[in-house]
Amino acid sequence: MMRSHPTQWLLSVFVTVLLCCGVSHAQSDGARQQIQRQQTQPGNNAPVWREVRGGDNPYQTTQVRGPESAVLIQSGGETWRQTRRVFTYYGGWVLTIVPLLIALFYWRKGAIRLKGKPTGRSVQRFSSWQRMVHWTVAITFCLLALSGLIMLFGKYIMMPVFGRTLFSWIAVLCKNLHNFVGPVFAFALMLMILTFIRDNLPKAHDIKWLAKLGGMLSGEHVPSGRFNAGEKVWFWIGVLLLGVVVSITGFILDFPNFAQVRATMQLASVVHAVAAMAFIALFLGHVYMGTIGTEGAYRAMRTGAVDETWAKEHHEYWFDEVSRAQPAPARGAQGDFGAAAIKQG
Amino acid sequence: MARMKFLCDAERCIECNGCVTACKQEHEVPWGVNRRRVVTLNDGVAGAEKSLSVACMHCSDAPCMSVCPVDCFYTTTEGVVLHDKDQCIGCGYCFYACPFGAPQFPQDGAFGMRGKMDKCTFCAGGPEADNSPEEFRKYGRNRLAEGKLPACAEMCATKALLGGDADEVANIFRDRVMNRDGKGASVFGWATAYGKQDKAAPAAQSAPKPGAKP
């Protein structure tokens, strides 16, 4: 005997209506079309197969647990593969041409020499903290760039020379090095950005510097602050923009255990590789200017000290600031220490 | 030479996961790795539910092979795509490229680091000597070397999953389609492809004119 209470009845109707709505909404277009298709064209499963490439349909299921295990076919892989071929090709050319251009520049124009005589008095340019953080970033960057390039181009350049077995040993080493050095680089990069951001804020005189390219071609003297506009461009575009981009995409690829889907990792992989190759191209220019391209620049990175003449010729506004804050005699001891260090080195 | 292929008949697959179990059992696949899985489309939607068993499809022009940075893939004379785990660096590129989600990685290192890639071998082992302990440890059993077909297809209760020489598989499937539901050519004829024009007229008839009155 059924004793149905009106509220119970209403509730059951409500639930039924809700369920029907839920089902009809959740049913994919493909399922609806398939049901219709079976009326007119039995045996034709085209609407189902059109849905095969989707995975977000809640009615596409599997017993196997794992991210995207219910996706039967993913199309993104082919897009990723084709994109990868393009950037490998052009990236390879960029990374071949840039060093050649730098070599050409060095051959035609030579290094930027000091015009005046060194005074023998040194100015402290970088503190030990600044040098340490820069060296950490520099060393980890080199390791990452080298291992990354080997993983991308080694198949074409190194494998024919070394053979599969030896190259695979090198590649395993590179992959693990890349995965473990990467987070160290990202952390050191953050510290370096915080360390140098204040002196890299754009100033009005940077426009003049950029317009004349710092007198790099004309040899003209263009004054600048602690960092010139070229260094600032490298800081904002290279270190900050590209550095943060490669770090974030790197973390996505380095830690695949957060259930990120393949589409995310494919995109991260493309962005990571393109940004990294642009980063390396800019880095080559930065290294050139900081070593053989500018007389006395490497000393600043190594010991933190530069000669007064160097400071005046390369970063006049900064030198004026420093001399105003601390006149030459007071700087003596510090400067001598820097000079002594380079002699020992 | 035979060219090995898998084919899964969606009209027969009943989503029993027998193939998945057979594969795990046969090869002692590590925990977390599934070389084969069954995906059900429109699960529970009457009239539209289809299931398919999917694993490595042993592509003729395999994307995994093309993106591998150490070139560890190779195709056997039977058309089976295999890989060398000693060379694999666990970068995951094959996993990004594969349309079927076949490459799997045991997460055995720190921070979910990928181990050596594992995938369906068409029960054909790897580069080691056939049926050697090393081959079994890395790739599972080499049934092809024993003259047997893949365990998943052999195990399939409804014979939905076929594995073997492509010509044989195609012949079996063609026979099925022609005889299915006792309708013969009607299943794969005009009506199936373009819809029923006339219930009275036999479907295998020569093509009716478009717009002709039923």
Side-chain angles (χ1 to χ4, degrees):
Chain A
M1 187 173 150
M2 242 173 70
R3 283 195 302 160
S4 169
H5 196 267
T7 47
Q8 268 184 340
W9 182 83
L10 265 175
L11 194 74
S12 65
V13 166
F14 181 67
V15 167
T16 314
V17 168
L18 242 176
L19 276 175
C20 289
C21 289
V23 168
S24 61
H25 280 294
Q27 248 184 38
S28 62
D29 289 342
R32 251 193 310 267
Q33 286 170 18
Q34 171 70 12
I35 294 161
Q36 284 168 6
R37 185 67 65 95
Q38 292 311 299
Q39 308 301 316
T40 54
Q41 292 157 262
N44 185 324
N45 296 328
V48 171
W49 304 130
R50 285 199 194 98
E51 294 253 305
V52 155
R53 282 162 192 259
D56 46 354
N57 178 354
Y59 285 76
Q60 188 162 326
T61 60
T62 180
Q63 296 294 311
V64 168
R65 292 286 158 260
E68 288 190 290
S69 58
V71 177
L72 205 51
I73 294 175
Q74 59 123 2
S75 313
E78 187 59 13
T79 315
W80 175 74
R81 180 164 80 108
Q82 297 301 340
T83 316
R84 197 164 172 271
R85 284 160 64 132
V86 173
F87 73 65
T88 307
Y89 179 80
Y90 289 103
W93 275 114
V94 166
L95 294 181
T96 313
I97 290 167
V98 166
L100 289 176
L101 284 178
I102 291 172
L104 187 78
F105 184 82
Y106 184 65
W107 177 49
R108 299 307 304 171
K109 301 290 286 185
I112 302 168
R113 303 250 162 240
L114 279 183
K115 290 178 197 78
K117 256 187 71 170
T119 57
R121 286 191 304 275
S122 295
V123 191
Q124 178 81 10
R125 181 154 166 77
F126 297 119
S127 68
S128 55
W129 162 259
Q130 290 169 338
R131 273 177 288 151
M132 194 177 79
V133 82
H134 184 258
W135 272 109
T136 310
V137 171
I139 292 166
T140 51
F141 184 96
C142 290
L143 290 173
L144 290 168
L146 197 68
S147 55
L149 290 175
I150 288 172
M151 282 188 283
L152 186 54
F153 298 108
K155 185 184 182 177
Y156 311 105
I157 296 164
M158 291 170 77
M159 206 163 69
V161 183
F162 295 133
R164 274 155 202 262
T165 310
L166 181 57
F167 177 66
S168 118
W169 273 94
I170 298 168
V172 167
L173 195 72
C174 286
K175 180 219 153 189
N176 287 317
L177 199 71
H178 208 85
N179 281 1
F180 282 90
V181 171
V184 179
F185 168 79
F187 181 67
L189 190 87
M190 290 305 120
L191 294 180
M192 193 176 77
I193 288 170
L194 293 175
T195 305
F196 289 116
I197 196 161
R198 205 171 60 88
D199 289 320
N200 275 294
L201 292 172
K203 297 269 164 60
H205 55 74
D206 289 329
I207 298 164
K208 213 175 119 191
W209 193 96
L210 276 179
K212 294 184 175 173
L213 269 175
M216 212 158 67
L217 300 169
S218 59
E220 186 189 345
H221 175 69
V222 187
S224 66
R226 188 175 182 213
F227 297 116
N228 63 41
E231 287 170 302
K232 286 179 185 177
V233 166
W234 162 245
F235 178 84
W236 291 103
I237 293 177
V239 176
L240 203 115
L241 180 71
L242 295 175
V244 167
V245 166
V246 292
S247 298
I248 291 171
T249 52
F251 278 123
I252 294 171
L253 297 165
D254 201 357
F255 300 93
N257 51 336
F258 289 103
Q260 60 265 56
V261 294
R262 277 166 292 183
T264 313
M265 289 189 273
Q266 286 156 356
L267 185 67
S269 155
V270 171
V271 174
H272 188 79
V274 172
M277 284 191 284
F279 207 177
I280 292 169
L282 291 176
F283 157 85
L284 290 171
H286 175 66
V287 167
Y288 170 77
M289 291 310 293
T291 53
I292 55 169
T294 313
E295 189 186 358
Y298 179 69
R299 190 187 155 198
M301 180 181 171
R302 177 79 189 275
T303 67
V306 292
D307 195 88
E308 274 188 5
T309 313
W310 190 93
K312 233 178 284 179
E313 286 183 14
H314 290 284
H315 301 277
E316 200 179 357
Y317 297 145
W318 168 71
F319 179 68
D320 293 347
E321 243 172 72
V322 173
S323 356
R324 240 179 287 125
Q326 209 177 12
R331 289 199 313 269
Q334 200 181 40
D336 289 344
F337 169 75
I342 201 165
K343 267 177 214 144
Q344 281 168 4
Chain B
M1 203 72 199
R3 180 158 189 97
M4 294 302 177
K5 285 291 166 203
F6 279 126
L7 190 148
C8 186
D9 189 343
E11 303 302 321
R12 281 184 175 230
C13 181
I14 57 167
E15 195 201 345
C16 70
N17 282 282
C19 48
V20 178
T21 314
C23 177
K24 284 192 91 84
Q25 200 285 130
E26 189 78 358
H27 303 296
E28 296 178 15
V29 180
W31 185 251
V33 171
N34 288 282
R35 291 183 177 181
R36 181 170 278 290
R37 65 191 198 281
V38 177
V39 176
T40 305
L41 303 151
N42 303 319
D43 199 356
V45 183
E49 180 177 319
K50 301 277 174 217
S51 290
L52 275 183
S53 173
V54 66
C56 173
M57 298 301 273
H58 301 279
C59 305
S60 305
D61 181 12
C64 54
M65 196 182 279
S66 121
V67 298
C68 179
V70 291
D71 218 4
C72 80
F73 291 89
Y74 61 100
T75 311
T76 68
T77 47
E78 286 155 329
V80 177
V81 175
L82 296 178
H83 70 295
D84 188 341
K85 281 196 182 182
D86 292 342
Q87 276 182 40
C88 173
I89 64 168
C91 65
Y93 290 175
C94 49
F95 164 69
Y96 301 162
C98 178
F100 308 107
Q104 311 263 310
F105 290 88
Q107 295 195 341
D108 56 1
F111 321 120
M113 206 169 78
R114 294 188 180 100
K116 304 275 183 190
M117 188 272 274
D118 191 277
K119 76 168 187 70
C120 157
T121 61
F122 207 89
C123 289
E128 275 82 2
D130 286 348
N131 292 316
S132 59
E134 296 80 52
E135 189 191 45
F136 182 78
R137 190 170 52 78
K138 290 177 195 164
Y139 309 96
R141 236 174 106 191
N142 189 341
R143 289 173 59 95
L144 249 57
E146 296 168 7
K148 297 170 184 166
L149 286 171
C152 50
E154 296 270 288
M155 194 69 79
C156 183
T158 59
K159 292 285 162 266
L161 185 62
L162 302 172
D165 181 7
D167 291 340
E168 289 294 322
V169 169
N171 285 339
I172 293 168
F173 190 64
R174 192 185 306 110
D175 277 356
R176 272 185 200 177
V177 170
M178 297 311 281
N179 294 311
R180 192 163 277 163
D181 300 328
K183 281 180 189 151
S186 70
V187 174
F188 212 68
W190 184 269
T192 302
Y194 304 107
K196 272 182 195 160
Q197 296 285 323
D198 187 359
K199 275 209 163 174
Q205 210 182 17
S206 61
K209 276 180 213 137
K213 276 196 176 175

